[in-house]
Amino acid sequence: MKVLILSCNTGGGHNACAQALSQQLEKMGHESVTLDALGYVSDRVSRLVSNWHVRFYRHFPKLYGKGYHYAEEHPATFDEDSAACRILRSGCERMRQEIESGGYGAVICTHLFPAMMLSFIQHAKPLAVRTCFLATDYTASPSCNCVNLDVCVIPDASLTEEFVRAGIDRASIAPLGIPVRAMFASRTDAVQAKRAFQIDPAHRHLVIMSGSMGCGPIGEVVARIAKSMPDSCELSVVCSSNKKLYRKLRMRFGYKKNVHVLGFVKNISRLLDSADVFITKPGGISTTEAVVKGVPMVLINAVGGCETHNLEFFVSRGAACTADTPKELAWQSLQLLQNGPRLASMRRAMRELEYAGAAERICARVCE
């Protein structure tokens, strides 16, 4: 079967999901093509949405969170006559032509925008393809009421009623999890993983990361951890695409032997294998990757919106902890690092979630 995967360049998570599905489809003997859904509207719109998403996310996270909350409180934001829906509809005909001419048997959407566009197409004049929407957060986003596809994959069965209330057809809901890339299926021995990143195997290792866009109070959290961290602990900071943060932290902490400032890390899987505690913002993909790896999390609620729901989900299940201020986050992280029984309890909670293998389950369901 030939499968079209539609994503959006709003952060790295949706594209990471698309990559995970593409890898699994190839493994199963299927062909896949991954495209940017907003490109059907126009390349200019795609760049505009992507650039402004990064700017708001990185520089105005609280405003981003308030915007999400407003959409939750005002469902009409995504009514069929709304500006957002009119823009998305303008690309539907080009998307239809791509699906018809491409010979696809199935279309999987890893973002709400393509899922809405595909729903508009199927409502107007259905295409003979299998359609699927993949929710990449542990909550039903405000515009879910516009999505009506054959399969709606949600991260966890406990969220079923929330998605039904949001307007998703119960019969379409499949609690199959969030897919992670193939690299996360394998595990490197912790000693070897630490050595790969120049970490003393005898030391405890904190890894802090703020997503592909590098947002949140990372600098202050790092400063407080570095000030109080014993010599038997090491800290690795992943700045991803945030070059300004990378330069700032390198200048400030480059002299400290137990603080490692990193830019974009290709093998995040191995880095997580080296970690005893993972400090991150609660993105749907990064938290799922940590759960698959079994690394206890300290979550930074830097943005709000859907990430607040992700944070609440994992904290309530004992797989993560959080705090309100950089000072408290640093203290919480260092305390957790030295608390063996609590770390073991959090790892057990992660194993009970059983999130490994989501890509296999999703591709099998779509291609059945």
Side-chain angles (χ1 to χ4, degrees):
M1 179 184 289
K2 187 177 180 182
V3 181
L4 175 61
I5 304 172
L6 295 174
S7 185
C8 280
N9 297 321
T10 52
H14 304 287
N15 289 336
C17 277
Q19 184 182 358
L21 295 172
S22 178
Q23 290 170 340
Q24 180 59 31
L25 288 166
E26 182 180 353
K27 185 178 178 181
M28 295 168 64
H30 300 292
E31 180 185 353
S32 69
V33 175
T34 301
L35 296 174
D36 170 25
L38 288 180
Y40 294 116
V41 178
S42 75
D43 291 337
R44 181 174 177 273
V45 166
S46 178
R47 288 193 300 271
L48 186 68
V49 171
S50 175
N51 291 339
W52 277 103
H53 182 271
V54 171
R55 289 179 186 178
F56 271 94
Y57 214 78
R58 183 179 290 172
H59 302 295
F60 310 103
K62 297 303 180 184
L63 185 59
Y64 182 95
K66 287 181 179 179
Y68 185 95
H69 181 67
Y70 179 87
E72 286 184 310
E73 296 295 319
H74 300 81
T77 304
F78 288 98
D79 275 354
E80 290 196 6
D81 294 329
S82 66
C85 285
R86 288 200 302 271
I87 292 170
L88 293 177
R89 284 181 184 277
S90 69
C92 285
E93 184 56 34
R94 282 184 286 274
M95 180 183 285
R96 174 189 289 277
Q97 291 172 5
E98 169 70 32
I99 297 170
E100 288 180 329
S101 64
Y104 299 103
V107 183
I108 305 175
C109 304
T110 64
H111 191 284
L112 268 166
F113 289 164
M116 291 165 67
M117 294 171 73
L118 188 56
S119 296
F120 296 152
I121 291 171
Q122 293 300 81
H123 177 73
K125 186 179 179 183
L127 294 165
V129 294
R130 181 84 157 165
T131 59
C132 174
F133 165 55
L134 171 61
T136 56
D137 287 295
Y138 291 79
T139 185
S141 297
S143 50
C144 277
N145 63 301
C146 294
V147 176
N148 185 19
L149 302 179
D150 296 327
V151 182
C152 175
V153 175
I154 65 173
D156 191 271
S158 65
L159 300 169
T160 299
E161 296 306 319
E162 179 182 342
F163 276 84
V164 171
R165 289 193 299 272
I168 298 294
D169 180 10
R170 184 186 297 274
S172 72
I173 293 176
L176 304 177
I178 295 176
V180 298
R181 289 163 289 175
M183 69 170 76
F184 293 94
S186 61
R187 189 180 297 274
T188 303
D189 176 75
V191 170
Q192 294 179 4
K194 286 180 178 179
R195 284 177 176 156
F197 289 93
Q198 288 77 55
I199 307 297
D200 187 330
H203 290 179
R204 291 293 182 105
H205 187 205
L206 276 165
V207 172
I208 182 167
M209 185 167 65
S210 56
S212 63
M213 292 176 284
C215 64
I218 300 302
E220 190 174 350
V221 175
V222 169
R224 290 185 176 279
I225 291 175
K227 181 179 178 180
S228 305
M229 185 171 57
D231 293 338
S232 60
C233 297
E234 299 193 41
L235 171 66
S236 292
V237 190
V238 182
C239 300
S240 298
S241 62
N242 194 331
K243 295 179 181 179
K244 182 178 179 180
L245 177 65
Y246 175 79
R247 290 192 297 268
K248 179 180 177 180
L249 294 181
R250 287 281 293 181
M251 288 180 62
R252 188 172 181 183
F253 302 107
Y255 71 95
K256 291 186 71 69
K257 293 183 178 180
N258 61 345
V259 177
H260 313 275
V261 181
L262 310 174
F264 184 82
V265 177
K266 288 186 177 180
N267 200 335
I268 289 293
S269 174
R270 181 174 291 180
L271 184 63
L272 288 181
D273 286 332
S274 75
D276 296 287
V277 171
F278 182 40
I279 311 168
T280 183
K281 71 178 189 66
I285 312 305
S286 55
T287 49
T288 304
E289 290 170 349
V291 169
V292 171
K293 284 293 185 179
V295 187
M297 296 180 287
V298 177
L299 298 177
I300 305 172
N301 194 15
V303 179
C306 57
E307 295 195 353
T308 298
H309 296 291
N310 296 338
L311 180 149
E312 292 169 347
F313 181 91
F314 286 109
V315 169
S316 69
R317 281 154 179 78
C321 59
T322 189
D324 294 329
T325 67
K327 180 180 179 179
E328 293 169 336
L329 286 163
W331 182 87
Q332 184 86 261
S333 302
L334 290 171
Q335 290 295 308
L336 182 59
L337 196 65
Q338 305 295 334
N339 192 335
R342 191 178 182 197
L343 288 173
S345 174
M346 293 171 81
R347 292 190 188 101
R348 285 195 298 271
M350 289 180 166
R351 286 195 295 270
E352 290 174 1
L353 292 173
E354 297 181 349
Y355 285 162
E360 293 93 324
R361 294 190 293 270
I362 295 166
C363 291
R365 177 65 178 266
V366 171
C367 297
E368 66 184 4

